[in-house]
Amino acid sequence: MYAGNVTDTRGGYKAMAASAFPFHSNKSNVSHFLSMSVSPKEVILGSDVEQQMYCHLLCGLRHSNPVDGIGAPYATGLVRAIRLLESKWEQLCQDLECGCPSLGISDVSLSMINSVTEVLCGPQPELANRFRSICKEDNWGGILCKLWPNVRYIKCVSTGSMEQCYLQIKYYAGEIPVLGGDYFASECCVAINLDILRPPELTRYTILPTAAYFEFIPFDNDKMSVSGEETVDVSGVEVGKMYEVVVTTYRGLYRYRLGDIVEVVGFYGSSPQVSFVTRAPKNSGEILTEGNLISAMKSFDQVLKNEAILETTEFACFLDLELDPRQLKVYVEVRDPSIFLRQELVLVLKRCCSSLEDGFGVMYNLMRARGEVGPMLLYIVKPGSFAKILEMAIENGAPASQYKPPRIIRSRNIVDLMEVSAVVTVCSGSFDG
């Protein structure tokens, strides 16, 4: 949990992530939320996400036995925490052994350091040695149930752009069930997940018709655009069709387009049940959706595993409209990019590149065949490159708890960051190592 930043709107209202509201509202019972966390309030209210995450892990390890659930708003946040655990477990064990946070977090507030020290309750050498023996193993499959033996579930939203994270979490979770979350937006609650045991690809959300007034704009997936501006309400949607969600809320939003594309998969009583498909295109010039990219990356990842025994950890794309013809650039982060410095593996990457491009959907392939889109460029970037996007987002006011890495990049600053971080660049027509 991260309380996040609070900003003031031009009208003088407070703006924050929905998940941060309980910690900043005078009317909320904060103790209820704190009772669900082993971390003190000072960690949740901190201002440095990585240090907060480190302290969450440290407090969680100290009180590993009472922990019965692990949760995060989104799967991406949970994966980031696991990666931090992978890279910092020795330091975490050392901090447990000495009973206080290391000098590595000396730049955060004194109140956070003192509160975490209080949670640690002095040196814990036996606990530190137990965790060392677990973490030094080469195979981290199922490690979460070894570190937290009484955990009954892991819960987070893993649909849409975070489907890839689900498999990663399942690997680390072992036998612990990974539960799905509900469909919330900062604007309002949209729908609930009545069967949280379903994997993300089978998850269906039941619209809550009393949470807001919902309208739906028909969406044509082949043309990648809405079919006019006429809307239907919850009683007018049809099973098998896609729609963009529009809400009118009790707090004053009027016919606000959430930018989410959903498919109606059934009804629960009279309430539509929907599956999340993708984010809506921002403009008519876009030729593939997040859904197209995610689907193509699944195949790419599998080929990469088979050919180079390597998996992707993050990915995104950018359509460069300034080039003639336009060109799609795909950025992929892997655990060990240095492997591609070997020429034979660059050739493997080139073969993977072709399979990736084939999976980008009808619109992309049609324009590619016409020559309206040039050969795709694939960049393998250094580990940690996507973490820098998170830092940029938080610096610009994005709440850490609500952050989801962009799959479709629209910022030149992010593109520049990715290209500077590139280790290998492959074109679907030629390659350059």
Side-chain angles (χ1 to χ4, degrees):
M1 288 191 288
Y2 309 99
N5 298 324
V6 179
T7 58
D8 292 312
T9 66
R10 292 180 183 177
Y13 293 98
K14 301 291 184 184
M16 68 194 80
S19 56
F21 178 74
F23 302 101
H24 292 292
S25 171
N26 295 328
K27 297 180 181 179
S28 296
N29 182 9
V30 179
S31 60
H32 167 70
F33 295 93
L34 291 176
S35 66
M36 299 187 293
S37 172
V38 293
S39 301
K41 180 176 69 174
E42 289 78 5
V43 173
I44 296 169
L45 294 173
S47 57
D48 186 309
V49 176
E50 184 161 342
Q51 305 295 7
Q52 288 172 276
M53 198 181 298
Y54 182 90
C55 289
H56 274 310
L57 288 169
L58 188 57
C59 294
L61 290 171
R62 169 60 185 91
H63 294 285
S64 56
N65 285 330
V67 172
D68 71 344
I70 298 173
Y74 295 112
T76 49
L78 201 51
V79 169
R80 286 200 306 273
I82 294 171
R83 288 179 188 158
L84 184 65
L85 176 63
E86 280 185 298
S87 63
K88 300 285 187 180
W89 67 265
E90 290 177 294
Q91 184 179 323
L92 286 162
C93 290
Q94 185 178 333
D95 289 355
L96 280 172
E97 197 164 46
C98 70
C100 62
S102 64
L103 294 177
I105 67 164
S106 60
D107 57 333
V108 301
S109 69
L110 185 61
S111 61
M112 184 191 290
I113 295 174
N114 290 338
S115 63
V116 173
T117 301
E118 189 174 330
V119 168
L120 294 180
C121 302
Q124 305 293 329
E126 291 183 10
L127 204 57
N129 287 332
R130 182 168 79 84
F131 291 139
R132 278 196 189 97
S133 64
I134 294 171
C135 294
K136 69 181 181 182
E137 295 178 8
D138 293 332
N139 183 3
W140 270 44
I143 195 167
L144 296 183
C145 55
K146 297 175 185 176
L147 295 174
W148 290 281
N150 296 317
V151 164
R152 296 181 294 115
Y153 65 90
I154 295 171
K155 188 172 184 180
C156 56
V157 173
S158 55
T159 48
S161 63
M162 294 166 289
E163 269 193 39
Q164 182 196 28
C165 298
Y166 177 79
L167 295 178
Q168 296 175 31
I169 293 170
K170 285 286 288 182
Y171 169 75
Y172 292 108
E175 297 179 359
I176 305 172
V178 180
L179 310 181
D182 297 315
Y183 184 174
F184 278 90
S186 290
E187 294 79 13
C188 65
C189 174
V190 180
I192 55 173
N193 183 356
L194 295 176
D195 188 354
I196 56 178
L197 288 171
R198 288 191 179 206
E201 66 272 15
L202 298 177
T203 295
R204 50 175 60 190
Y205 298 104
T206 303
I207 298 290
L208 287 176
T210 57
Y213 179 67
F214 294 99
E215 297 175 88
F216 301 86
I217 309 175
F219 183 82
D220 188 324
N221 198 39
D222 290 334
K223 295 181 180 178
M224 290 182 48
S225 63
V226 293
S227 306
E229 295 295 324
E230 289 295 320
T231 64
V232 294
D233 62 14
V234 290
S235 64
V237 296
E238 298 178 39
V239 173
K241 291 191 175 181
M242 295 184 187
Y243 301 89
E244 182 177 350
V245 183
V246 180
V247 298
T248 297
T249 70
Y250 295 108
R251 293 181 179 270
L253 287 176
Y254 178 69
R255 307 193 84 185
Y256 181 82
R257 294 169 71 161
L258 292 182
D260 291 344
I261 305 300
V262 298
E263 180 181 356
V264 178
V265 293
F267 285 86
Y268 184 85
S270 59
S271 292
Q273 291 189 310
V274 300
S275 63
F276 184 88
V277 178
T278 187
R279 290 288 293 168
K282 292 286 186 181
N283 56 65
S284 58
E286 294 190 1
I287 56 175
L288 83 163
T289 64
E290 281 189 355
N292 297 140
L293 178 63
I294 292 165
S295 178
M297 283 301 302
K298 284 181 182 177
S299 302
F300 172 83
D301 197 35
Q302 192 57 53
V303 173
L304 199 60
K305 283 180 184 176
N306 295 339
E307 295 274 3
I309 319 176
L310 198 67
E311 66 177 335
T312 61
T313 55
E314 284 291 357
F315 60 88
C317 73
F318 170 72
L319 181 63
D320 197 331
L321 301 176
E322 295 181 3
L323 298 177
D324 187 19
R326 291 175 288 179
Q327 186 174 44
L328 187 69
K329 300 177 179 181
V330 179
Y331 308 99
V332 175
E333 185 177 308
V334 297
R335 287 183 181 273
D336 182 17
S338 63
I339 192 173
F340 292 114
L341 297 178
R342 292 159 50 190
Q343 193 68 18
E344 64 271 21
L345 288 176
V346 176
L347 294 172
V348 167
L349 192 61
K350 184 175 170 59
R351 289 199 298 272
C352 295
C353 191
S354 299
S355 68
L356 176 62
E357 197 170 25
D358 290 341
F360 282 148
V362 175
M363 181 70 74
Y364 177 87
N365 286 300
L366 181 62
M367 298 185 77
R368 181 81 168 87
R370 290 175 180 168
E372 296 174 30
V373 177
M376 181 196 74
L377 277 178
L378 176 66
Y379 296 81
I380 301 296
V381 300
K382 298 174 185 175
S385 298
F386 278 80
K388 292 179 182 176
I389 302 178
L390 167 62
E391 293 171 11
M392 289 173 62
I394 292 173
E395 285 174 5
N396 291 324
S401 61
Q402 299 289 311
Y403 175 79
K404 298 182 286 291
R407 297 305 181 202
I408 308 291
I409 296 174
R410 299 181 177 90
S411 165
R412 274 284 174 185
N413 290 336
I414 295 178
V415 170
D416 293 341
L417 172 64
M418 290 290 104
E419 295 187 2
V420 166
S421 303
V423 177
V424 177
T425 304
V426 175
C427 180
S428 54
S430 61
F431 65 85
D432 175 29

